[in-house]
Amino acid sequence: MANVDQWTRNKKIWHYILLILLSALIIGPFIIGLWTSLLPTADISSGNLLHSSISLNNYWEAFTQTPIIRYLFNSLLISFLTMLCQVFFCSMAAYAFVFIEFKHRNFYFYLVLSTMMLPFEAEVIPNFQTIKSLGLLNSYAGMIVPFMTSAFGIFMLRQAFMQMPYELKEAADVEGLNHWQFYVKAVLPYSRLSLYTLAAYSFLSAWNQYLWPMLTTFSDDFRPVQVGLRELQSQETFNNWGMIQASAAIIVIPTLIVLYFGQHYFKSGLNEGAVK
Amino acid sequence: MAENNRVIDPSGSAVKAARGGLDFQQLSVKKNDKGYAWLFLGPSLLLLIVFIFYPMLKTLYLSLFLTNGNGQNTVFVGLQNYMTLLTSATYFASLFATLIYVLAVSLLTIILGLLLASTASKNVRGSSFFRTIFSSTMGVSISVSAIFWLFIFNPSIGVFTQLAAFLHLPILNWSTDPNLAMLSVIISTVWMNLGFAFLILFSAFQSLPQSLYEETAIEGASPSYRFFHVTLPLISPTLFFVSIITLIESFKSFGLIDLMTAGGPNNATNLLVYHIYQNAFLNGNYSQASAESVILTIVIAVLTFIQFKYLEKKVSY
């Protein structure tokens, strides 16, 4: 009996060692980044990472000498509006596929689904020309309009809407609700969780957009953080590491907080595709 | 209003009919429904057509022409752009580099993701704390990841260089050696991917039936036997899903390349999408970039199709 205890205890210790090692691997880059963001750039450049004085100077500099607040505001606005549009348009399309009978419904559904196979990255040239000819280069609209809907969102919400008890639709028909009323009063509230999931997912993917805003924005007035950081980096890399790291920290901390609270929705949303 | 004419159907046949399709009541509202169908589906359909279908056709079209710097077609050349690409050494180098990158990223993501998920799924005190840490890289965007790792890999002041100097190991030229530049991009991508892979694989581990484990434990199966013969087959659908998603995403990698290496040194990290960007927006060679886009689309369409087919079958052993 004592042997078994000893054995399980040893196993537990090894298990904790493994957990700590893996955690170090994951949070190592965070810690190095956050730590250097607190050091004076002169010390970073001379390799003096341990015996230095820490301060929040770099953060102060990043906030006052770079347009990072503007970048953050742009990102927040773009991501928020993209999210709202996605939730609205995807849920409407999904509603049509579940609750409205119309000609060639399956055809349209597969048409929408097939767009998941066509990567946006391969279509930037004509899209750039479209946005240019609409006069939307270097504007919020240029970064939002192409992403106002998504096949993934439509597909995910369709799965969710199909779980609704059909009796609800019957009752609504008896009450004489039209499609719009049923959509607003029953479908949206009933599928709240899936809508939150899509919201979290679309917000995050808009926030992480890189290629498109890089191609279509030319001024700090509209640049989101991802591209803004590139701007800062290309201007400052070789002389101001402390401030660059501080800017990275300013961007990553809010997303980590959002992730921490939104974890559940991400998980269920991602699993929507994985485990059916 | 046509809907008002509906009556309660005690036999429930309306339910069946509505699900199956035909129903006289449905027919009576069809005309009205058509308007609603366009109202609800129209916006999404329009957006998808303008920003996905039309550009795809346009790309295909552009790839058959020679285009000038303004993106105007000049001469129809058929498949010549494709021939030029497929006989170009730089394009082959780009394809090869992409293949190395994609395979390395996917394999490492899967293996490390499995390690993280299986370690975190054991019930020990504090395991939820470790789970939060393991999923934390999901909150890291491309530019932040690039900055963290650029500092770590920096050849003069970076952490790796300092560590090597401290340990009296040879100092590596992370940014000038083509192999090391590729390695640094792979490491940053895998690190960034891990949060996502962990979260999904962890959920798969959570849904494994405990009774099966107790059974195999009683039969005296070793942990490694259990892992390879019980766990892996059971989570194989999820494993497959994560692999395909990772493959697709790494074929589309752009941001990290742009920020960390800009395709260099000596084109060593000039992956497919970066090559398209270079050709189109830096060299103004729209026609060749379009041909490259079509090739990229085919690769990704095939992978996505495999994913759909597989998910449709809901494979489990």
Side-chain angles (χ1 to χ4, degrees), chain B residues 34-222:
Chain B
K34 201 176 161 192
Y36 278 115
W38 287 117
L39 174 73
F40 279 82
L41 186 57
S44 282
L45 210 57
L46 183 74
L47 285 164
L48 292 176
I49 287 169
V50 172
F51 291 106
I52 296 188
F53 286 114
Y54 162 73
M56 199 59 253
L57 294 175
K58 184 78 185 289
T59 306
L60 200 62
Y61 177 79
L62 284 176
S63 75
L64 303 175
F65 285 84
L66 285 181
T67 44
N68 63 21
N70 296 325
Q72 276 137 1
N73 303 328
T74 47
V75 197
F76 176 81
V77 290
L79 294 177
Q80 197 196 301
N81 287 320
Y82 293 90
M83 296 308 282
T84 318
L85 273 182
L86 296 177
T87 51
S88 135
T90 13
Y91 188 66
F92 259 101
S94 171
L95 267 178
F96 185 70
T98 310
L99 215 61
I100 299 278
Y101 171 83
V102 163
L103 288 178
V105 165
S106 308
L107 269 176
L108 287 171
T109 304
I110 285 290
I111 292 171
L112 287 172
L114 271 176
L115 185 63
L116 292 179
S118 69
T119 315
S121 62
K122 299 224 170 64
N123 253 327
V124 291
R125 201 175 305 158
S127 56
S128 69
F129 167 75
F130 289 106
R131 271 171 231 157
T132 310
I133 288 183
F134 288 175
S135 58
S136 62
T137 65
M138 252 203 84
V140 182
S141 58
I142 284 165
S143 60
V144 170
S145 171
I147 282 173
F148 283 171
W149 286 99
L150 272 173
F151 180 70
I152 294 172
F153 290 123
N154 187 295
S156 52
I157 57 170
V159 173
F160 278 5
T161 302
Q162 293 202 26
L163 211 61
F166 180 72
L167 299 171
H168 298 286
L169 291 170
I171 288 168
L172 304 172
N173 287 315
W174 288 95
S175 57
T176 49
D177 184 325
N179 292 326
L180 292 177
M182 179 58 112
L183 185 64
S184 61
V185 176
I186 290 172
I187 291 174
S188 342
T189 315
V190 170
W191 180 75
M192 215 172 60
N193 283 351
L194 271 178
F196 166 84
F198 164 74
L199 223 53
I200 293 199
L201 289 171
F202 177 72
S203 312
F205 272 89
Q206 290 297 91
S207 57
L208 289 173
Q210 278 306 306
S211 56
L212 209 64
Y213 277 82
E214 280 152 23
E215 238 169 76
T216 47
I218 291 167
E219 283 168 15
S222 72

Side-chain angles (χ1 to χ4, degrees), chain A residues 162-183:
Chain A
M162 287 197 314
Q163 320 254 305
M164 283 183 66
Y166 204 82
E167 288 71 24
L168 264 177
K169 175 75 181 127
E170 272 193 306
D173 286 342
V174 171
E175 296 261 328
L177 295 185
N178 63 29
H179 279 300
W180 180 256
Q181 291 165 323
F182 181 61
Y183 163 77

Side-chain angles (χ1 to χ4, degrees), chain A residues 12 15-16 18-20 22-23 25-27 29-30 32-34 36 44-49 89-90 92-93 95-97 100-102 108 111-131 134 145-146 148-151 154 164-167 170 173-174 176-180 183 204 207-208 210-211 214-215 225-226 229-230 233 241 244-245 248-249 251-252 255-256 259-260 263 266-267 270-271 273-276, chain B residues 1 3-4 6 8-9 14-15 17-19 21-22 26 30 33-34 36-41 43-45 47-48 50-56 58-59 62 70-71 112 115-116 118-120 122 124-126 130-144 147-152 154 157 159 162 191 194 196 199-200 202-203 237-238 241 252 254-255 258-259 273 276-277 280-281 286 289-290 293 296-297 300-301 304-305 308 311 314:
Chain A
K12 254 195 180 146
H15 189 73
Y16 274 113
L18 187 61
L19 277 172
I20 290 165
L22 290 172
S23 305
L25 201 75
I26 298 290
I27 52 173
F30 284 111
I32 293 168
L34 293 181
T36 43
I44 303 172
S45 312
S46 60
N48 189 6
L49 294 185
F89 289 127
C90 291
M92 295 236 292
Y95 180 94
F97 285 129
I100 306 178
E101 300 259 330
F102 55 96
Y108 285 115
L111 193 74
V112 166
L113 211 58
S114 73
T115 61
M116 281 169 91
M117 296 192 189
L118 307 174
F120 188 83
E121 285 76 2
E123 301 167 351
V124 287
I125 300 168
N127 277 331
F128 183 81
Q129 289 167 346
T130 305
I131 290 296
L134 290 173
V145 174
M148 290 199 303
T149 192
S150 76
I154 296 173
M164 283 183 66
Y166 204 82
E167 288 71 24
E170 272 193 306
D173 286 342
V174 171
L177 295 185
N178 63 29
H179 279 300
W180 180 256
Y183 163 77
L204 197 74
W207 184 271
N208 282 332
Y210 182 86
L211 175 59
M214 188 199 105
L215 290 174
V225 275
Q226 308 306 340
L229 217 50
R230 174 193 205 244
Q233 198 208 335
W241 264 107
I244 293 289
Q245 295 278 29
I251 292 166
V252 80
T255 38
L256 285 179
L259 182 80
Y260 180 74
Q263 229 179 38
F266 285 115
K267 231 186 287 181
L270 297 169
N271 280 321
V275 192
K276 278 207 288 188
Chain B
M1 287 296 284
E3 280 97 334
N4 291 339
R6 289 193 163 196
I8 301 169
D9 182 0
V15 179
R19 282 179 177 158
L22 261 187
Q26 287 281 323
K30 207 139 216 181
D33 270 9
K34 201 176 161 192
Y36 278 115
W38 287 117
L39 174 73
F40 279 82
L41 186 57
S44 282
L45 210 57
L47 285 164
L48 292 176
V50 172
F51 291 106
I52 296 188
F53 286 114
Y54 162 73
M56 199 59 253
K58 184 78 185 289
T59 306
L62 284 176
N70 296 325
L112 287 172
L115 185 63
L116 292 179
S118 69
T119 315
K122 299 224 170 64
V124 291
R125 201 175 305 158
F130 289 106
R131 271 171 231 157
T132 310
I133 288 183
F134 288 175
S135 58
S136 62
T137 65
M138 252 203 84
V140 182
S141 58
I142 284 165
S143 60
V144 170
I147 282 173
F148 283 171
W149 286 99
L150 272 173
F151 180 70
I152 294 172
N154 187 295
I157 57 170
V159 173
Q162 293 202 26
W191 180 75
L194 271 178
F196 166 84
L199 223 53
I200 293 199
F202 177 72
S203 312
T238 312
F241 174 77
K252 298 196 288 192
F254 175 82
D258 186 48
L259 286 158
V273 178
I276 294 174
Y277 159 74
F281 294 95
Y286 283 106
S290 298
S293 301
L296 177 72
T297 306
I300 288 173
T304 315
F305 185 74
F308 280 140
L311 285 178
K314 291 188 215 165

